[in-house]
């Protein structure tokens, strides 16, 4: 408690003296200044008043609790008040040396009000029962309780209600007029409310949370109409509705696995908000090493709201990461590592401010959580006790009929969220023109939804194919059959969302009929055969399908092979190595055939022109690209096998380490300087740049590739996890939290 009190004083001093631009030589302080402190100055606004009050509320609260422990508590309480007033006055005097700050007695009076409010809150009767009746209120004296309050505070700041008809009606009109849909804001709100519901469930229990969550959500959104300087947006409304839908259709059914799913969603939300909108800056921004720079400049009300929101997001992330291992330290290291990566990435992004504040904030939150558990002897951080093996078997039997229901809900939810994310990506500036021209229906939500389903099918089908092949008696024949079948399904889905020109530009157009009939590549027998068929359209359709399969199926081959390699079914033969070699040998002819069709005899100039010719080590561009494909698929399969969030650190570190390797293989697999249409560009410029004429610096191209590689790995890994819901891995026993059946 004493350490927390000292930390509170330090933070008050830090916030009062920021940005520390002392100029003692330029100011001449007189006795008049020291006594009056320009007492005639008024507050600049409501935010200024509330900020000065809120600054000393923690001081008064913690100071009263600390003094109340002493035998001479009345003397200690007066000492805390005197120390607070002296500190406030001293800070005001020091602000005379800060040109950017303004000293006044009004601030001291507001600070005294904050001390009084904090002490009254600590002295209330309910607060005494909070510590006496441990069994009843212990759950609320925990990180979950702090996070629940932090989220409600971020939504309801500045807590000043009004019944003014003009203000309320203005908020209603703003909601009705501003109907713009922001996919990222909707997803962020939905994920935050889902996390709030899970925290509430850990505090009150499942039944009470199911009743309280919709009520709190409704009251919070309604209250925003009646609070000064607060308004409800379309994103708030749609995010709340989406959270309710997902909670009662998916999370309420889940017995286990909520923690992992929410943790991944929260990580995705924090990452997306850290890098979007994704506009690359022409030059690197300066990294701000001064902590809390953003929070202490600008509108204090808005900054307080952002601070409470980040307290909720980062605190929830630490709490969720620490549940499997019950180690806050490990969760803190992982959270700090990930957020620091985002902050460093912001150096190259527009509309972002890279600074050290967020990693430091995570450390402070983790330290506070640790102190809460240590001082108040809080219950274990795990909110749910897993059943015994016998209970697990009983629950597994009970929910054997539910995997397909859970799988369907997971597919629909994931596809919808991915489609919204894709809509946000399509709105970014300097996007490669070939991506913007890719979709049917001008890239509306229907097209991106179907395209998202096609992307998810890549990893999902690989898991299904691996399971079917392992169950087959003749794996050599089952391997190509199931993989080519998955490729045909992928093409059918893709045709509903992508223009035919885009597929032809990538996979190639039909020219087999002309090659056979005009160039007579199959001789007289080929000419006679095609004349007898008299079906050029049928031949063209078959050829287009084969060319697409030759380009698409290698990624499924590698995903399936790595899935089978990482499976360890009980009773598997001891000659496992020999069977793995046979699996690779049976796949090699098909991979070679795909390479011949897609590259050697391609009918599109894009592939032939962009792929580098044999160069370093005598390896052609196709060799580098196949190595890149192996790298990404192996990484995705390994990541999909991680069952606990606490074990994600090593795979994520390896994923980050693979990015430079992927960039090396990608850049060496494509031509360096290709000349066409009186322009010189590289294959990397063509695929990642906005156009052939607009060439980006190498640093920006590397950053774009980093995001592409990370997105590919995470998408393939997550879609394989979806497939594991209905066809589990052989080395993973069926559990209720994965909703899989024996």
């Amino acid at each position: 408690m004493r350490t927390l009190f000292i930390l509170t004083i330090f933070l008050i001093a830090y916030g009062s003296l920021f940005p520390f631009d002392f100029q003692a030589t330029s100011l001449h302080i007189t006795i008049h200044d020291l006594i009056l402190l320009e007492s005639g100055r008024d507050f600049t606004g409501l935010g200024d008043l509330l900020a000065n009050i809120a600054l000393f509320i923690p001081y008064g609260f913690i100071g009263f609790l600390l003094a109340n422990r002493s035998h001479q508590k009345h003397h200690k309480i007066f000492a805390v008040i005197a120390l607070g007033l002296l500190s406030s006055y001293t800070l005001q005097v020091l602000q005379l040396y800060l040109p950017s700050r303004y000293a006044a007695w009004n601030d001291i009076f507001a600070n005294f009000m904050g001390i009084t409010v904090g002490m009254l809150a600590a002295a209330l009767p309910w607060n005494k029962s909070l510590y006496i009746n441990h069994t009843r209120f212990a759950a609320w004296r925990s990180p979950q309780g702090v996070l629940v309050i932090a989220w409600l505070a971020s939504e309801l700041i500045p807590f000043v209600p009004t019944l003014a008809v003009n203000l309320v009606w203005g908020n209603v009109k703003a909601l009705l007029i501003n109907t713009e849909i922001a996919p990222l804001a909707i997803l962020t709100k939905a994920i935050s409310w889902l996390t709030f519901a899970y925290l509430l469930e850990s505090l009150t229990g499942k039944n009470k949370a199911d009743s309280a969550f919709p009520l709190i959500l409704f009251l919070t959104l309604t209250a925003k109409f009646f609070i000064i300087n607060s308004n409800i947006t379309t994103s708030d409304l749609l995010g709340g509705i989406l959270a309710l839908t997902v909670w009662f259709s998916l999370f309420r059914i889940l017995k286990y696995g909520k923690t992992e799913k929410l943790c991944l969603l929260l990580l995705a939300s924090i990452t997306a908000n850290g890098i979007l909108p994704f506009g690359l800056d022409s030059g690197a921004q300066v990294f701000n090493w001064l902590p809390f720079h953003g929070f202490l400049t600008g509108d204090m009300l808005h900054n307080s709201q952002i601070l409470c929101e980040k307290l909720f997001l980062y605190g929830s992330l630490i709490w969720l990461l620490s549940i499997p291992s019950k180690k806050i330290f490990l969760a803190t290291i992982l959270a700090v590592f990930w957020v620091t990566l985002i902050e460093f990435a912001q150096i190259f992004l527009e509309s972002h401010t890279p600074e050290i504040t967020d990693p430091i904030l995570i450390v402070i939150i983790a330290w506070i959580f640790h102190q809460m558990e240590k001082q108040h002897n809080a219950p274990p951080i795990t909110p749910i006790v897993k059943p015994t093996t016998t209970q697990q078997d009983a629950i597994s039997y009970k929910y054997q009929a539910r995997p397909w229901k859970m799988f369907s809900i997971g597919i629909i939810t994931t596809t919808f969220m991915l489609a919204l994310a894709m809509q946000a990506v399509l709105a970014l500036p300097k996007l490669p023109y070939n991506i913007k021209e890719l979709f049917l229906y001008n890239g509306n939500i229907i097209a991106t939804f179907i395209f998202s389903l096609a992307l998810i099918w890549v990893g999902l089908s690989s898991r299904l194919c691996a399971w079917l092949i392992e169950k087959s008696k003749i794996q050599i024949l089952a391997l190509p059959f199931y993989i080519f079948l998955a490729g045909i399904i992928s093409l059918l889905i893709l045709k509903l969302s992508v223009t035919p020109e885009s597929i032809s530009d990538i996979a190639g157009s039909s020219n087999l009929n002309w090659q056979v009939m005009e160039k007579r590549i199959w001789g007289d027998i080929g000419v006679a055969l095609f004349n007898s068929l008299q079906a050029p359209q049928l031949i063209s359709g078959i050829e287009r399908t084969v060319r697409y399969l030759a380009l698409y199926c290698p990624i499924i081959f590698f995903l399936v092979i790595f899935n089978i390699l990482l499976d360890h079914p009980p009773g598997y033969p001891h000659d496992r190595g020999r069977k793995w070699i046979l699996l690779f040998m049976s796949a090699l002819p098909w991979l070679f055939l795909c390479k011949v069709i897609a590259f050697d005899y391609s009918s599109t100039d894009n592939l032939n022109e962009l792929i580098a010719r044999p160069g370093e080590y005598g390896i052609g561009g196709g060799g580098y690209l196949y190595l890149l494909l192996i790298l990404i698929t192996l990484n995705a399969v390994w990541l999909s096998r991680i069952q606990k969030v606490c074990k994600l650190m090593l795979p994520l570190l390896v994923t980050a380490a693979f990015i430079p390797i992927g960039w090396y293989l990608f850049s060496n697999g494509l031509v360096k300087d290709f000349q066409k249409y009186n322009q010189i560009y590289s294959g990397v410029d063509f695929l990642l740049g906005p156009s052939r004429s607009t060439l980006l610096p190498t640093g920006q191209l590397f950053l774009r590739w980093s995001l592409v590689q990370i997105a590919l790995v995470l998408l393939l890994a997550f879609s394989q996890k979806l497939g594991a819901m209905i066809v589990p891995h052989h080395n993973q026993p069926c559990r209720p939290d994965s909703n899989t059946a024996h």
Side-chain angles (χ1 to χ4, degrees):
M1 184 68 72
R2 184 176 290 105
T3 306
L4 190 59
F5 184 67
I6 295 173
L7 177 64
T8 303
I9 297 176
F10 171 77
L11 293 177
I12 289 173
Y14 187 93
S16 300
L17 301 179
F18 180 87
F20 313 105
D21 52 344
F22 293 98
Q23 296 184 10
T25 56
S26 62
L27 294 176
H28 301 283
I29 308 301
T30 64
I31 297 297
H32 174 79
D33 295 325
L34 292 176
I35 295 176
L36 298 180
L37 292 176
E38 298 294 332
S39 59
R41 183 184 78 95
D42 295 328
F43 289 109
T44 57
L46 178 63
D48 189 17
L49 173 63
L50 294 178
N52 279 280
I53 294 175
L55 187 65
F56 273 78
I57 288 179
Y59 173 88
F61 188 89
I62 300 172
F64 182 87
L65 296 179
L66 189 63
N68 204 35
R69 292 182 173 183
S70 174
H71 294 292
Q72 300 177 341
K73 59 181 179 181
H74 297 294
H75 296 85
K76 295 290 185 180
I77 290 173
F78 283 115
V80 169
I81 296 175
L83 178 62
L85 291 175
L86 179 61
S87 301
S88 177
Y89 177 81
T90 304
L91 293 173
Q92 294 299 318
V93 171
L94 291 175
Q95 286 182 1
L96 292 171
Y97 295 89
L98 297 172
S100 59
R101 307 305 292 264
Y102 201 94
W105 279 107
N106 291 343
D107 292 347
I108 298 177
F109 293 147
N111 296 156
F112 176 70
M113 292 173 60
I115 296 174
T116 304
V117 171
M119 286 190 166
L120 288 175
L124 287 175
W126 66 265
N127 189 59
K128 185 181 294 184
S129 66
L130 188 73
Y131 289 91
I132 295 175
N133 195 345
H134 176 81
T135 58
R136 183 177 179 183
F137 296 100
W140 290 94
R141 292 187 287 107
S142 63
Q144 302 97 295
V146 173
L147 295 174
V148 165
I149 295 173
W151 174 247
L152 294 178
S154 69
E155 289 291 291
L156 300 176
I157 283 178
F159 312 111
V160 180
T162 180
L163 295 178
V165 178
N166 293 336
L167 178 64
V168 177
W169 178 241
N171 290 334
V172 174
K173 286 175 60 178
L175 177 63
L176 296 176
I177 294 174
N178 187 11
T179 58
E180 181 181 357
I181 296 178
L184 179 59
I186 294 172
L187 292 175
T188 301
K189 286 289 183 181
I191 293 171
S192 298
W193 276 113
L194 283 174
T195 308
F196 173 86
Y198 190 45
L199 291 165
L200 196 64
E201 182 182 272
S202 71
L203 290 169
T204 63
K206 183 175 179 58
N207 295 330
K208 291 183 179 180
D210 288 344
S211 303
F213 173 47
L215 179 62
I216 294 175
L217 176 59
F218 173 76
L219 293 177
T220 303
L221 295 179
T222 304
K224 293 172 77 71
F225 287 108
F226 300 92
I227 294 179
I228 297 175
N229 294 333
S230 177
N231 62 311
I232 182 172
T233 64
T234 307
S235 300
D236 295 329
L237 186 61
L238 295 181
I241 294 174
L242 179 59
L244 280 176
T245 304
V246 175
W247 178 260
F248 285 101
S249 64
L250 179 61
F251 280 86
R252 192 172 182 272
I253 302 174
L254 288 173
K255 293 296 180 182
Y256 304 101
K258 295 180 186 178
T259 302
E260 288 77 6
K261 293 175 176 59
L262 269 177
C263 190
L264 292 175
L265 288 175
L266 202 58
L267 272 175
S269 175
I270 293 172
T271 305
N273 281 280
I275 63 175
L276 296 178
F278 187 73
L280 292 175
D281 200 350
S282 56
Q285 300 187 65
V286 178
F287 192 88
N288 196 330
W289 293 96
L290 186 62
F292 302 101
H293 177 271
F295 290 131
L296 298 174
T297 56
D299 185 8
M300 295 306 297
L301 273 180
H302 178 71
N303 293 343
S304 300
Q305 183 181 13
I306 297 299
L307 179 61
C308 290
E309 185 177 359
K310 289 196 173 184
L311 172 63
F312 170 78
L313 292 175
Y314 294 148
S316 299
L317 181 62
I318 295 171
W319 180 71
L320 290 170
L321 287 172
S322 63
I323 286 177
S325 63
K326 300 181 183 179
K327 295 179 180 178
I328 291 182
F329 178 77
L330 182 61
T332 305
I333 294 297
L334 181 58
V336 168
F337 169 76
W338 191 259
V339 173
T340 303
L341 283 181
I342 296 174
E343 292 295 328
F344 280 121
Q346 290 178 358
I347 295 176
F348 306 98
L349 300 177
E350 297 175 349
S351 305
H352 292 281
T353 304
E355 56 181 343
I356 197 63
T357 300
D358 287 9
I360 292 179
L361 185 61
I362 291 175
V363 175
I364 294 175
I365 294 170
W367 182 83
I368 293 174
F369 285 179
H370 175 69
Q371 291 298 317
M372 292 177 66
E373 293 181 356
K374 182 179 178 181
Q375 296 293 334
H376 301 295
N377 193 21
I381 199 168
T382 305
I384 298 172
V385 179
K386 291 190 176 182
T388 62
T389 306
T390 306
Q391 292 173 328
Q392 284 185 349
D393 294 339
I395 296 174
S396 176
Y397 176 78
K398 179 180 178 181
Y399 288 93
Q400 276 186 2
R402 291 194 176 183
W404 283 101
K405 181 179 180 180
M406 298 302 304
F407 171 75
S408 303
I409 295 174
I411 286 290
I412 295 173
T413 304
T414 305
T415 307
F416 177 70
M417 296 178 67
L418 186 60
L420 288 178
M422 201 168 297
Q423 288 287 317
V425 171
L426 291 175
L428 295 177
K430 297 182 180 180
L431 198 68
Y433 73 94
N434 46 9
I435 294 180
K436 292 185 176 181
E437 298 174 355
L438 180 67
F439 299 100
L440 291 171
Y441 320 119
N442 296 321
N444 61 13
I445 188 66
I446 297 177
T448 53
F449 183 87
I450 300 174
F451 185 76
S452 301
L453 187 61
L455 293 179
I456 294 174
W457 174 250
V458 179
L460 177 63
S461 62
S462 67
R463 182 60 234 156
L464 296 175
C465 289
W467 181 71
L468 291 171
I469 292 169
E470 286 185 284
K471 290 176 66 68
S472 298
K473 295 181 179 180
I474 310 177
Q475 294 187 359
I476 295 179
L477 298 179
L479 180 69
F481 173 78
Y482 288 118
I483 290 178
F484 290 137
L485 180 60
I488 293 174
I489 296 174
S490 169
L491 180 60
L492 294 176
I493 300 174
L494 210 60
K495 281 180 174 291
L496 299 176
S497 61
V498 176
T499 61
E501 294 80 8
S502 299
I503 298 178
S504 297
D505 287 343
I506 298 173
S509 58
S510 176
N511 65 353
L512 181 62
N513 190 74
W514 178 80
Q515 292 278 353
V516 172
M517 299 299 293
E518 301 296 332
K519 299 192 68 174
R520 307 175 74 87
I521 59 173
W522 291 355
D524 294 336
I525 297 177
V527 173
L529 177 63
F530 275 43
N531 282 329
S532 62
L533 292 175
Q534 294 183 351
Q537 292 185 349
L538 176 62
I539 296 173
S540 176
I542 295 175
E543 182 186 359
R544 288 176 182 270
T545 303
V546 170
R547 290 191 180 280
Y548 175 81
L549 294 178
L551 193 65
Y552 173 84
C553 287
I555 187 173
I556 308 296
F557 268 104
F558 287 120
L559 287 172
V560 168
I561 290 173
F562 291 139
N563 265 293
I564 295 176
L565 291 183
L566 293 179
D567 272 343
H568 304 293
Y572 203 79
H574 294 291
D575 57 346
R576 182 183 302 154
R578 183 176 63 86
K579 290 209 168 189
W580 287 353
I581 294 175
L582 290 177
L583 188 66
F584 272 116
M585 295 301 294
S586 61
L588 282 178
W590 297 106
L591 290 172
F592 179 77
L593 181 62
C594 290
K595 180 253 184 186
V596 170
I597 296 174
F599 296 99
D600 297 343
Y601 292 97
S602 65
S603 60
T604 173
D605 54 358
N606 290 337
L607 290 175
N608 291 330
E609 292 174 349
L610 295 179
I611 295 178
R613 301 301 178 260
E616 196 172 350
Y617 308 117
I619 303 176
Y624 285 103
L625 295 180
Y626 265 83
L627 290 176
L628 175 62
L629 190 59
I630 294 173
L631 179 77
I632 291 176
T633 52
L634 180 58
N635 190 3
V637 172
W638 180 36
L639 198 61
S640 70
R641 299 303 181 97
I642 305 301
Q643 299 297 324
K644 296 182 179 180
V645 178
C646 61
K647 295 183 179 180
L648 272 175
M649 175 172 283
L650 179 60
L652 290 177
L653 287 174
V654 173
T655 301
F658 278 172
I659 293 176
I661 302 175
W663 169 255
Y664 172 80
L665 297 174
F666 179 68
S667 58
N668 281 276
L670 303 177
V671 293
K672 300 294 184 182
D673 48 358
F674 180 74
Q675 185 172 359
K676 190 175 183 180
Y677 303 127
N678 297 324
Q679 294 175 340
I680 299 177
Y681 54 89
S682 67
V684 177
D685 292 320
F686 178 79
L687 294 178
L688 298 180
S691 63
R692 297 186 182 95
S693 58
T694 305
L695 304 182
L696 299 177
T698 304
Q700 294 189 17
L701 292 174
F702 173 74
L703 182 59
R704 289 193 171 199
W705 169 252
S706 302
L707 294 175
V708 170
Q709 182 172 336
I710 291 174
L712 282 175
V713 171
L714 294 181
L715 179 62
L716 289 174
F718 188 74
S719 55
Q720 289 177 90
K721 292 284 285 186
L722 288 175
M725 294 175 67
I726 52 175
V727 284
H729 309 296
H730 285 299
N731 58 333
Q732 171 191 341
C734 179
R735 303 182 311 164
D737 63 337
S738 61
N739 290 282
T740 54
H742 289 289

